């Protein structure tokens, strides 16, 4: 806790406050490190190596400077102890003081609103040179406006130095409705006794059972400038504690406090096994018949135990520019009427009836306000509620001489966001459509944001399908070590556009688990987290990336909203 002052504001305060690290031998580990020489100590390396062996995936930095909009919360410059090569780095901005709330408010309203924002750090603990936020009521008053202005950002509740204390309870009581809008409660856990460390976390979960739990500082000691913790002792303690925390099942992320950098370890990407079904549907010119056929196939898949069912691109219509306007449905404002969007309501009703997650491949959409057409995926939860909409980002405009010419842009407009969807029982998935698969950035960002499955309803043709269908599916799986599902319409040689077929699921090791033929059929695959973890353990790409050599595309200006 003493070290947290330095952890959260290293770039602002390190030079002024931190003195040289006391060196007590190469095998001593200092919990607060500002000296680059200390970063090269054997003790430092020992702890990194131990965490790597236990599945560490990357590093996180929290800092006040991240509220500087001009820097776009970029901490690459000036970090005294940079992340070792191969470790992934991410940044989370923090409100440390009430005066920061205006800057944070501006950041949340900007085009580069962060994925996460932490609201105060250890407000119940005094730091030398800094005035603590000792009154929960005052903190609640200052943060109310901020909490109500973060539609795109996941908020982390004020992190108390004492997880079992009363500060957070009092804060919640003074900020009416605030905790309903804060999905994450974090803890700083320090206890030389592993059982004591676990007790702090379980107590916090018992107070906030509906929240995601993060352990944002984890160490056996709060030692600050004494630097007298043995690195081997720290490593052994980590081996004992990290696995036990993961086994709790409700801790979403674990970080190791190093003073400036935190090491992130994710729990399972896929929380429990999932049966996936891809319906390779035969479609024709009759929309009602297409919807009826889709219903029959979805009911069949649900009856065979599928929890997530996927329909193909343009499942309610023929595929082709000449068909998009005729079959388009108006989806906004949502929910639309049945007259304007029969496919929307058919999907919603079917998801609820089957108690499954249902991805309605895609349908042509007409937006009245812009007078534009889109190729749009709709995803519904088991309650029949719409939980995601994805408009095809990359339009299919190609010209292969003597083979095929097709230009979706003659009719369609592109979507403008990446679509990540959280399925509470399972984890996160990513949605894209057909031609989107040729742009690996979308898949990389989705995987870096902890998706376990990439889904692509797609209608490749006889030329591009033969060339690249299977190759693209396996490449996206191989690059990102996640599951990939491609769902095609069935092939109809009487249609004006001949779909490739061959719907398939590929595992994280790029092996094809199942593949359809050309005609209508449904293929199934059982997805497990173990397959992801074993692949990543054998070929540890997650810990070998060189963001000191090239940028992390997931940390750029990524759009998650239209």
């Amino acid at each position: 806790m003493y070290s947290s002052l330095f952890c959260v504001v290293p770039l602002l305060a390190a030079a002024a406050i931190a003195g040289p690290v006391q060196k007590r031998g190469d095998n001593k580990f200092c919990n607060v490190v500002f000296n680059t020489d200390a970063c090269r100590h054997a003790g430092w390396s020992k702890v990194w190596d131990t965490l790597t062996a236990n599945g560490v995936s990357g590093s996180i930095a929290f800092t006040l400077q991240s509220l500087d909009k001009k820097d776009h919360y970029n901490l690459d410059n000036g970090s005294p102890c940079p992340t070792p090569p191969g470790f992934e780095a991410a940044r989370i901005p923090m409100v440390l003081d009430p005066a920061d709330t205006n800057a944070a408010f501006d950041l949340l309203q900007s085009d580069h609103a962060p994925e996460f924002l932490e609201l105060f750090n250890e407000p119940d603990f005094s730091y030398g040179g800094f005035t603590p936020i000792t009154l929960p009521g005052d903190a609640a008053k200052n943060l109310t406006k901020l909490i109500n202005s973060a539609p795109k950002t996941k908020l982390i509740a004020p992190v108390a130095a004492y997880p079992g204390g009363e500060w957070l309870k009092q804060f919640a009581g003074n900020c009416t409705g605030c905790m309903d809008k804060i999905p994450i409660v974090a803890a700083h856990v320090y206890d030389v006794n592993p059982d004591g460390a676990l007790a702090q976390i379980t107590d916090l979960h018992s107070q906030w059972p509906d929240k995601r739990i993060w352990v944002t500082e984890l160490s056996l000691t709060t030692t600050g400038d004494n630097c007298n913790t043995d690195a081997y002792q720290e490593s052994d303690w980590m081996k004992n504690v990290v696995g036990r925390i993961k086994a709790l099942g409700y801790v979403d992320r674990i970080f190791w406090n190093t003073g400036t950098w935190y090491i992130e370890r994710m729990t399972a990407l896929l929380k429990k096994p999932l049966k996936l079904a891809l319906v390779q549907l035969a479609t024709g010119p009759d929309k009602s018949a297409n919807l009826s056929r889709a219903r029959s196939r979805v009911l069949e898949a649900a009856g065979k135990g599928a929890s997530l069912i996927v329909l193909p691109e343009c499942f309610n219509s023929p595929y082709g520019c000449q068909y998009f306007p005729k079959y388009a449905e108006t989806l906004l404002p949502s929910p639309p009427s049945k007259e304007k969007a029969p496919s929307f309501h058919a999907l919603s009703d079917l998801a609820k009836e089957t108690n499954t997650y249902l991805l309605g491949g895609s349908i042509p959409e007409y937006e009245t306000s812009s007078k534009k057409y889109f190729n749009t995926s709709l995803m519904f939860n088991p309650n029949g509620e719409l939980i995601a909409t994805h408009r095809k980002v990359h339009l299919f405009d190609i010209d292969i001489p003597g083979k095929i010419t097709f230009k979706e842009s003659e009719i369609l407009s592109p979507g403008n966001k990446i679509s990540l969807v959280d399925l509470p029982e399972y984890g996160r998935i990513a949605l894209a459509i057909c031609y989107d698969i040729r742009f690996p950035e979308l898949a990389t960002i989705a995987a870096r944001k902890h998706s376990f499955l990439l889904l692509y309803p797609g209608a490749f043709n006889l030329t591009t399908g033969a060339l690249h269908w299977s190759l693209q599916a396996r490449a996206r799986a191989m690059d990102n070590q996640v599951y990939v599902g491609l769902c095609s319409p069935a092939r109809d040689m009487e249609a004006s556009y001949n779909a490739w077929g061959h719907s398939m699921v590929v595992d994280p090791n790029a092996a094809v688990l199942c593949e359809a033929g050309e005609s209508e059929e449904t293929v199934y695959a059982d997805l497990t987290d173990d397959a992801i973890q074993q692949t990543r353990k054998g070929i540890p790409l997650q810990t070998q990336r060189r963001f000191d050599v090239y940028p992390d595309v997931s940390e750029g200006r990524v759009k998650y909203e239209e």
Side-chain angles (χ1 to χ4, degrees), residues 396 398-406 461-464 497-498:
F396 183 48
I398 67 166
D399 184 6
I400 303 176
K403 297 287 186 179
I404 182 173
T405 298
F406 200 102
N461 54 72
L462 303 190
T463 298
T464 59
Y497 182 93
N498 309 129

Side-chain angles (χ1 to χ4, degrees), residues 165-370:
E166 293 296 313
W167 197 96
L168 188 57
K169 291 181 182 178
Q170 293 180 30
F171 169 84
N174 284 281
C175 191
T176 304
C178 287
M179 290 304 290
D180 294 338
K181 300 177 181 178
I182 298 175
I184 302 165
V185 175
H188 291 175
V189 176
Y190 293 94
D191 198 315
V192 69
N193 180 356
D195 292 335
L198 266 290
Q200 292 183 50
I201 298 169
T202 56
D203 287 349
L204 186 66
H205 179 253
S206 66
Q207 294 176 30
W208 306 100
D210 61 332
K211 305 296 182 186
R212 294 162 60 188
I213 303 294
W214 286 15
V215 179
T216 51
E217 292 187 16
L218 178 66
S219 184
L220 63 85
T221 179
T222 60
T223 299
D225 56 359
N226 291 328
C227 301
N228 59 2
T229 303
D230 190 290
Y232 291 93
Q233 181 185 7
E234 179 89 7
S235 297
D236 289 342
W237 186 88
M238 285 286 181
K239 290 178 184 178
N240 186 315
V241 171
V242 169
R244 294 174 65 186
I245 294 175
K246 182 178 179 181
L248 293 174
Y250 50 73
V251 176
D252 199 27
R253 304 191 185 190
I254 304 171
F255 306 86
W256 173 55
N257 176 19
T258 67
T260 298
W261 293 95
Y262 295 73
I263 315 307
E264 177 185 17
R265 177 199 170 108
M266 293 296 298
T267 55
L269 287 181
L270 177 52
K271 298 174 185 178
K272 64 179 183 179
L274 168 69
K275 180 178 284 292
L276 171 66
L278 306 180
V279 178
Q280 183 164 292
L281 191 71
T283 59
D286 186 332
K287 180 187 287 190
S288 296
N290 293 334
L291 295 179
S292 177
R293 199 174 187 90
R295 171 181 166 77
S296 176
R297 283 296 191 174
V298 169
L299 289 173
E300 178 184 59
K304 293 186 177 180
S307 300
L308 172 55
I309 303 172
V310 181
L311 292 166
E313 183 179 20
C314 289
F315 79 92
N316 71 343
S317 68
Y319 178 78
C321 289
Q322 69 272 37
Y323 300 114
F324 295 143
K326 177 181 178 180
Y327 289 84
E329 301 185 7
T330 300
L331 303 176
L332 296 175
S334 187
S337 67
K338 288 187 177 182
E339 292 73 23
K340 291 185 176 181
S343 300
F344 178 102
H345 288 276
L347 292 168
S348 174
D349 293 345
L350 193 51
K352 186 173 183 179
E353 180 180 355
T354 57
N355 194 37
T356 61
Y357 288 98
L358 179 58
L359 176 60
S362 79
I363 64 172
E365 175 197 358
Y366 179 66
E367 185 180 62
T368 55
S369 60
S370 64

Side-chain angles (χ1 to χ4, degrees), residues 516-534:
E518 300 168 2
S519 59
E520 182 174 278
E521 67 175 294
T522 302
V523 292
Y524 302 85
D526 293 310
L527 281 50
T528 67
D529 187 69
D530 185 63
I532 301 172
Q533 301 306 330
Q534 290 301 316

Side-chain angles (χ1 to χ4, degrees), residues 27-229:
N27 289 331
K28 297 297 180 180
F29 165 70
C30 174
N31 202 30
V32 182
V33 182
F34 294 109
N35 186 310
T36 49
D37 289 337
C39 299
R40 293 192 289 269
H41 282 182
W44 176 273
S45 299
K46 171 66 178 176
V47 180
W48 280 100
D49 291 345
T50 298
L51 291 167
T52 303
N54 281 273
V56 166
S57 65
S59 65
I60 295 287
F62 293 83
T63 181
L64 183 65
Q65 188 178 22
S66 57
L67 296 182
D68 181 347
K69 294 180 293 181
K70 290 180 291 187
D71 282 347
H72 294 204
Y73 47 96
N74 182 355
L75 305 183
D76 287 336
N77 296 320
S79 174
C81 292
T83 309
F87 279 81
E88 302 168 4
R91 287 92 187 167
I92 295 179
M94 173 189 293
V95 177
L96 184 67
D97 183 277
D100 300 324
T101 55
N102 288 335
F105 179 83
D106 291 342
L107 179 64
L108 296 185
Q109 304 306 305
S110 70
D111 291 336
H112 48 270
E115 183 177 4
F116 301 103
L117 175 71
E118 181 176 327
L119 306 171
F120 292 137
N121 186 74
E122 298 192 350
D124 54 343
F125 189 76
S126 299
Y127 304 108
F130 280 75
T131 302
I133 312 300
T134 55
L135 299 177
D138 290 344
K141 180 180 178 181
N142 278 294
L143 290 175
T144 299
K145 177 183 178 183
L146 192 64
I147 291 170
N148 289 326
S149 65
K152 304 176 185 178
T153 298
K154 299 180 181 67
L155 299 176
I156 305 170
V159 182
Y162 305 98
E166 293 296 313
W167 197 96
L168 188 57
K169 291 181 182 178
Q170 293 180 30
F171 169 84
N174 284 281
C175 191
T176 304
C178 287
M179 290 304 290
D180 294 338
K181 300 177 181 178
I182 298 175
I184 302 165
V185 175
H188 291 175
V189 176
Y190 293 94
D191 198 315
V192 69
N193 180 356
D195 292 335
L198 266 290
Q200 292 183 50
I201 298 169
T202 56
D203 287 349
L204 186 66
H205 179 253
S206 66
Q207 294 176 30
W208 306 100
D210 61 332
K211 305 296 182 186
R212 294 162 60 188
I213 303 294
W214 286 15
V215 179
T216 51
E217 292 187 16
L218 178 66
S219 184
L220 63 85
T221 179
T222 60
T223 299
D225 56 359
N226 291 328
C227 301
N228 59 2
T229 303

